[in-house]
Every structure is written in structure tokens, then in C-alpha cells.
């Protein structure tokens, strides 16, 4: 049995004649992370600390702050996997604990800028050993770090679209300088938001 998106097992099990090779995609990933994380930072700049504490209707125990931290922390976790060796549920819980005091908009923005800059530096490093390291991940099974960064880019972009929806429909805000279709072109996300 194969559970979830697990390319290294799905490809041979389904007798697919494809090769998952992202080695030439580092500059594309860097550009898309620049766009997606930058858009998340710009959205956060529009929010007051009180608005960040608004509860999400589709995830009972989460606030908008929790969603934005999730958008930013998952790319960081994917990047950290090249040295840490995994992106497990334990890693996610440890990240939540480490970031629990990152609550105010300014602190979230500073954290987001650090995540963006760190990931872009990594993707521009040409460190093929780190890119190709296979890690067990909650998202994707056993994947290379580059595959994981690609999966998490889609995951975080989907949540960014949810944050946009919440800001417009629940908070009645008008988005200022949101990500454009061109900014997010090529990033696979589900059609449905929820």
C-alpha cells in the first residue's frame, strides 16, 4: 500500500515512464519562493495584531496568525531537512513550539523575510549534494530536498490563497499588491480552496 504523494514508490508501482528530476529547477523554485513568500509578507503587512487573532471558520483552533506562520514555517522545515534529515510530524511540532511567540505582525514579517532569504540563498548555492539528499517527509514520503521544496511550495501557495480569501471575505479587506497569476504560474494547487 502506498499512502500519499510518494513519487519514488508511485512511479514504479504505476509503471510510469517518467523521471522526477528537479535539478534544473532551482532558479525557478527560487523565483517562485521569492514571489510566494514575498506575497505572504505583503499580506501580513496589511494586518493588525488584532486581525491576526481572527479565528478561521474551516480550522476551528487556528487563527489567521497560525495560517500565516504555517505558510512560512513549512518552507523553512523543508529547507532544514537537508541538514536535519527529515520533515516529520515531530519536526512540525518542534517548529510550532519554537515559533509560538512569533505573534505580532512585525515579528511574523521579520521571520518571513529570513525564511525567504535563507531558501533563496540555498537554492542559489548549487549544493547538489544537499539538493539530492533523500529525506523522509510527512508530505511526499521519501523525497529529495528539492522535491520536498517543490511539494511545500504548492502546499504553502494553496494556504496563501486561503489567507487571501479570509482577508477579503471574512475581514472585508481589499488586498494590496497580492501575488498575481504570473507570480504563481506553474505552482500546482488544488482548484478548491477548502
Amino acid at each position: 500500500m502506498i499512502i500519499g504523494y510518494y513519487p519514488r514508490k508511485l512511479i514504479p508501482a504505476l509503471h510510469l515512464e517518467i523521471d522526477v528530476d528537479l535539478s534544473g529547477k532551482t532558479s525557478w523554485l527560487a523565483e517562485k519562493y521569492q514571489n510566494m513568500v514575498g506575497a505572504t509578507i505583503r499580506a501580513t503587512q496589511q494586518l493588525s495584531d488584532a486581525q491576526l487573532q481572527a479565528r478561521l471558520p474551516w480550522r476551528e483552533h487556528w487563527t489567521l496568525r497560525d495560517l500565516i506562520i504555517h505558510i512560512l514555517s513549512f518552507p523553512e522545515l523543508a529547507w532544514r531537512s537537508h541538514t536535519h534529515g527529515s520533515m516529520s510530524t515531530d519536526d512540525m511540532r518542534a517548529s510550532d513550539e519554537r515559533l509560538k511567540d512569533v505573534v505580532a505582525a512585525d515579528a511574523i514579517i521579520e521571520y518571513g523575510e529570513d525564511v525567504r532569504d535563507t531558501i533563496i540563498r540555498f537554492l542559489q548555492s548549487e549544493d547538489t549534494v544537499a539538493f539530492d539528499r533523500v529525506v523522509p517527509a510527512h508530505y511526499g514520503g521519501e523525497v529529495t530536498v528539492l522535491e520536498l521544496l517543490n511539494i511545500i511550495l504548492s502546499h504553502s501557495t494553496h494556504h496563501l490563497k486561503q489567507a487571501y480569501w479570509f482577508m477579503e471575505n471574512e475581514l472585508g479587506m481589499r488586498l494590496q499588491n497580492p501575488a498575481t497569476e504570473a507570480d504563481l504560474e506553474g505552482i500546482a494547487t488544488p482548484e478548491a480552496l477548502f
Side-chain angles (χ1 to χ4, degrees):
M1 180 181 347
I2 302 169
I3 298 172
Y5 178 71
Y6 201 156
R8 294 195 184 281
K9 288 190 177 180
L10 287 169
I11 290 169
L14 298 173
H15 307 290
L16 299 175
E17 302 216 5
I18 60 169
D19 184 27
V20 179
D21 178 17
L22 298 174
S23 59
K25 246 183 144 174
T26 54
S27 58
W28 181 86
L29 277 170
E31 175 191 344
K32 295 306 173 180
Y33 268 108
Q34 174 75 35
N35 295 346
M36 187 277 297
V37 176
T40 305
I41 291 166
R42 291 191 305 276
T44 305
Q45 289 169 334
Q46 285 189 247
L47 296 164
S48 69
D49 291 344
Q51 288 170 319
L52 283 164
Q53 294 310 309
R55 293 263 172 216
L56 303 180
W58 66 91
R59 196 144 184 187
E60 185 179 319
H61 301 291
W62 269 26
T63 62
L64 182 55
R65 174 264 176 209
D66 297 327
L67 179 63
I68 290 172
I69 288 292
H70 184 77
I71 293 166
L72 298 171
S73 67
F74 268 43
E76 181 189 35
L77 283 165
W79 164 76
R80 284 179 181 265
S81 73
H82 85 280
T83 57
H84 181 68
S86 67
M87 185 180 168
S88 67
T89 53
D90 288 341
D91 298 327
M92 292 177 221
R93 279 192 285 277
S95 175
D96 289 344
E97 180 64 24
R98 181 174 51 85
L99 298 172
K100 71 180 180 191
D101 295 326
V102 180
V103 177
D106 289 346
I108 295 169
I109 291 163
E110 183 179 342
Y111 171 64
E113 289 170 344
D114 183 58
V115 168
R116 178 196 58 207
D117 296 346
T118 300
I119 289 173
I120 290 170
R121 269 194 311 275
F122 174 68
L123 290 168
Q124 293 172 340
S125 72
E126 299 183 18
D127 186 349
T128 55
V129 172
F131 296 161
D132 294 338
R133 181 175 184 184
V134 175
V135 295
H138 180 73
Y139 290 82
E142 289 183 13
V143 290
T144 67
V145 171
L146 274 189
E147 288 170 326
L148 183 55
L149 281 166
N150 194 54
I151 292 166
I152 296 304
L153 176 64
S154 295
H155 178 86
S156 287
T157 300
H158 177 71
H159 286 308
L160 172 61
K161 291 177 180 181
Q162 289 177 331
Y164 280 171
W165 179 92
F166 185 81
M167 291 170 70
E168 291 180 314
N169 294 284
E170 296 290 320
L171 299 181
M173 298 177 72
R174 184 173 173 268
L175 297 173
Q176 297 169 7
N177 196 16
T180 65
E181 285 186 32
D183 289 338
L184 305 178
E185 184 178 2
I187 303 173
T189 58
E191 290 292 318
L193 280 179
F194 307 102

